[in-house]
Amino acid sequence: MSARRAQISPWAPFEDRRRARDEKKHAVLRMAARLFLDVGYHRATLNDVATRLNITKPALYNYFRSKEDILEECYRLGQQMVDEAIAAIDAEGGDGLTRLRKLIRAYAQLMTIDFGMCLVRLDDRELSEEAYRRVRAEKRQDDLAFRRYIEAGAADGSIVACDAKLAAFAIAGSLNWIGHWYRADGAYSADQIADHFANLLTTGLEAKSARARSPSGKNAQKTSTEPGNRSRKISP
Amino acid sequence: MSARRAQISPWAPFEDRRRARDEKKHAVLRMAARLFLDVGYHRATLNDVATRLNITKPALYNYFRSKEDILEECYRLGQQMVDEAIAAIDAEGGDGLTRLRKLIRAYAQLMTIDFGMCLVRLDDRELSEEAYRRVRAEKRQDDLAFRRYIEAGAADGSIVACDAKLAAFAIAGSLNWIGHWYRADGAYSADQIADHFANLLTTGLEAKSARARSPSGKNAQKTSTEPGNRSRKISP
């Protein structure tokens, strides 16, 4: 019995160790993101992050080179979620209005989670020059996705003719602001906000013909938590 | 002749000196606000501000106690402009939709000038505890003004029934975002943005009866620079 035990390595299999390491790295990121949002990037120290995770500050350097490195990774994770949402919507297809509403819903929900909030509440000028340029380019791509769906909608008749650039800025601004005011213990759930904004921000853009195709609802501004709800009449 | 000259004080009259001092203080604020926006509050130094104004850093202390003091004053000036806009709109009266559009126009224009941008682009957690609380309370008042006009519109029939709180957040978010993307040398003038957003952000809220009262235009999303333009039909 004791002979068999001696043959078992005190180290976990390599795969398990790698997974454990990835999980720990992610836990550092989550804690750092929360702290950056809570007290601001400048006031947050790696000591605070370590203390909250019951580890020492040197232990953090197993995972990241610096606070700036962590910040960059927070942006990367948030941006990855936006990219995935856009890729999924593009893959599903549909008219411009449908895709625009899906993006509004997905983006609104991202704004209620920490890595999404990091994209809009932290100052990207704290990043290295290289990371800053990459982050800015990615943000432009997000803006362009909104614009692309609006232009597609204007072309396929689901959205009225409009200045797509300004309309995209107006929508993105409303959504980014969620990252500033949303509270997990607040009056609205992420789903409610997503549904509400998908209605509110597209009611004025919807072409008459698209409205006629939708089953008419009692009131467009009432929140619906029904996923497929398409009732967006402007007034009762 | 020389006797008369001797009676003239080499100092300017007190009133002129006070005015000159106020002008200089304001010049410091304008330069500091621009620098905070250009390079970020943390990277901006009082030395940079002084150098750009052709004065020494100690000379700045004639006007402000600290960088934080300057930051607080930037917020104060921006907030004062918002307060004055709301007071003027309240004094003029009109239905909820009319007042909402006026506030959107005024706020959009504020977002294109430095002190307005400071309100939304600088981190208010850099302020002293007391100033932070005051700034937050004032921002809540701004949000409440949007909400108040939407509620008034719902009551007087110019705006559809809606969740006024979320609608106000959506509008304020769109407007605050202008402070992030606006460039003085960009494609849109402050007036064009203000007109466009006043249309874009209220088309979905406008009650059918209010639309019926408006002279109908070709397309609501087209920018109008005509101040009194009320044509906001949704589709051609």
Side-chain angles (χ1 to χ4, degrees):
Chain A
M1 196 58 182
S2 66
R4 269 185 64 203
R5 270 209 185 145
Q7 283 168 5
I8 297 172
S9 166
W11 286 278
F14 181 74
E15 254 314 304
D16 292 3
R17 271 150 58 207
R18 209 188 58 177
R19 190 163 46 242
R21 185 186 150 77
D22 285 350
E23 276 167 17
K24 282 173 183 163
K25 189 174 175 176
H26 198 72
V28 171
L29 278 178
R30 278 201 312 271
M31 188 61 82
R34 182 83 314 255
L35 202 63
F36 293 164
L37 294 169
D38 278 349
V39 304
Y41 178 71
H42 275 276
R43 249 179 306 270
T45 68
L46 290 190
N47 257 329
D48 297 335
V49 176
T51 305
R52 290 196 187 190
L53 289 165
N54 307 316
I55 55 175
T56 62
K57 183 174 158 184
L60 284 183
Y61 291 108
N62 287 323
Y63 307 101
F64 299 99
R65 289 189 311 275
S66 61
K67 195 167 97 167
E68 191 187 286
D69 192 20
I70 296 180
L71 179 67
E72 192 178 326
E73 194 65 11
C74 288
Y75 272 99
R76 207 186 56 74
L77 278 181
Q79 189 59 49
Q80 191 181 316
M81 295 179 195
V82 181
D83 291 345
E84 284 168 4
I86 294 172
I89 294 165
D90 280 336
E92 285 166 24
D95 65 21
L97 182 64
T98 303
R99 280 183 283 161
L100 178 63
R101 280 183 182 141
K102 281 184 182 173
L103 182 54
I104 291 173
R105 275 193 58 84
Y107 200 98
Q109 285 182 313
L110 277 175
M111 286 298 114
T112 66
I113 65 171
D114 285 355
F115 293 122
M117 285 182 187
C118 283
L119 289 179
V120 296
R121 273 174 51 188
L122 303 182
D123 186 350
D124 53 15
R125 281 170 308 193
E126 302 297 342
L127 294 164
S128 69
E129 188 60 31
E130 187 205 336
Y132 172 81
R133 270 199 299 269
R134 194 177 55 247
V135 163
R136 284 284 161 133
E138 287 163 347
K139 285 186 177 178
R140 258 196 306 279
Q141 286 304 311
D142 300 344
D143 265 338
L144 284 178
F146 284 104
R147 209 183 301 177
R148 194 155 51 84
Y149 295 158
I150 295 169
E151 282 166 350
D156 67 32
S158 56
I159 288 178
V160 295
C162 64
D163 185 318
K165 192 174 172 183
L166 281 187
F169 278 150
I171 291 173
S174 280
L175 293 171
N176 288 336
W177 195 236
I178 296 172
H180 290 263
W181 60 260
Y182 176 77
R183 296 290 170 271
D185 58 356
Y188 302 95
S189 72
D191 258 348
Q192 283 176 321
I193 294 167
D195 283 329
H196 220 101
F197 274 62
N199 281 343
L200 206 53
L201 299 177
T202 60
T203 308
L205 291 175
E206 193 176 17
K208 220 182 239 168
S209 53
R211 273 200 306 286
R213 285 202 303 274
S214 310
S216 74
K218 193 89 181 105
N219 191 321
Q221 268 69 32
K222 286 267 160 57
T223 301
S224 158
T225 48
E226 213 186 317
N229 174 62
R230 299 206 59 205
S231 58
R232 289 179 185 84
K233 274 190 68 189
I234 285 166
S235 52
Chain B
M1 193 62 180
S2 66
R4 269 184 64 202
R5 270 213 184 140
Q7 284 169 5
I8 296 171
S9 167
W11 286 278
F14 181 73
E15 256 313 304
D16 291 2
R17 272 151 57 207
R18 210 188 58 177
R19 189 163 46 239
R21 185 185 150 77
D22 286 350
E23 276 167 16
K24 284 173 183 164
K25 189 174 176 177
H26 197 72
V28 171
L29 277 178
R30 278 202 310 271
M31 188 61 82
R34 182 82 314 253
L35 201 63
F36 293 165
L37 294 169
D38 278 348
V39 303
Y41 178 70
H42 275 276
R43 249 179 306 271
T45 68
L46 290 190
N47 257 330
D48 298 334
V49 177
T51 305
R52 290 196 187 190
L53 290 165
N54 306 318
I55 55 175
T56 62
K57 184 173 158 184
L60 284 183
Y61 291 108
N62 287 323
Y63 306 101
F64 298 99
R65 289 189 310 275
S66 62
K67 194 166 97 167
E68 192 187 286
D69 191 20
I70 295 180
L71 180 67
E72 192 178 326
E73 195 66 11
C74 287
Y75 272 101
R76 208 186 56 73
L77 277 182
Q79 189 58 50
Q80 190 181 318
M81 294 178 195
V82 181
D83 292 346
E84 284 169 4
I86 295 173
I89 294 166
D90 280 336
E92 286 167 23
D95 65 21
L97 182 64
T98 303
R99 280 182 285 162
L100 178 63
R101 280 184 182 141
K102 282 184 182 173
L103 182 54
I104 291 172
R105 274 193 58 83
Y107 200 98
Q109 286 183 311
L110 277 175
M111 286 299 113
T112 65
I113 64 171
D114 286 354
F115 292 122
M117 285 183 186
C118 284
L119 289 179
V120 296
R121 273 175 52 189
L122 303 181
D123 186 350
D124 53 14
R125 282 169 309 193
E126 302 297 341
L127 295 164
S128 69
E129 188 59 32
E130 187 205 337
Y132 172 81
R133 271 200 297 270
R134 194 178 55 247
V135 163
R136 285 283 159 133
E138 286 162 347
K139 285 186 176 178
R140 260 196 305 280
Q141 285 305 311
D142 300 345
D143 264 338
L144 284 178
F146 283 104
R147 208 182 304 177
R148 194 154 52 83
Y149 295 157
I150 295 170
E151 283 166 350
D156 67 33
S158 57
I159 289 177
V160 295
C162 65
D163 185 318
K165 193 174 170 183
L166 281 187
F169 278 151
I171 291 172
S174 280
L175 293 171
N176 287 336
W177 195 236
I178 296 171
H180 290 263
W181 60 259
Y182 176 77
R183 295 289 170 274
D185 58 356
Y188 303 95
S189 73
D191 258 348
Q192 283 176 321
I193 294 167
D195 282 328
H196 220 101
F197 273 62
N199 282 341
L200 208 53
L201 299 177
T202 60
T203 307
L205 291 174
E206 192 177 17
K208 220 182 241 169
S209 53
R211 272 199 306 287
R213 284 202 303 274
S214 310
S216 74
K218 192 90 182 105
N219 191 322
Q221 269 68 33
K222 286 267 161 59
T223 301
S224 160
T225 47
E226 212 186 318
N229 174 62
R230 296 206 61 203
S231 58
R232 289 178 187 87
K233 274 190 70 190
I234 288 168
S235 52

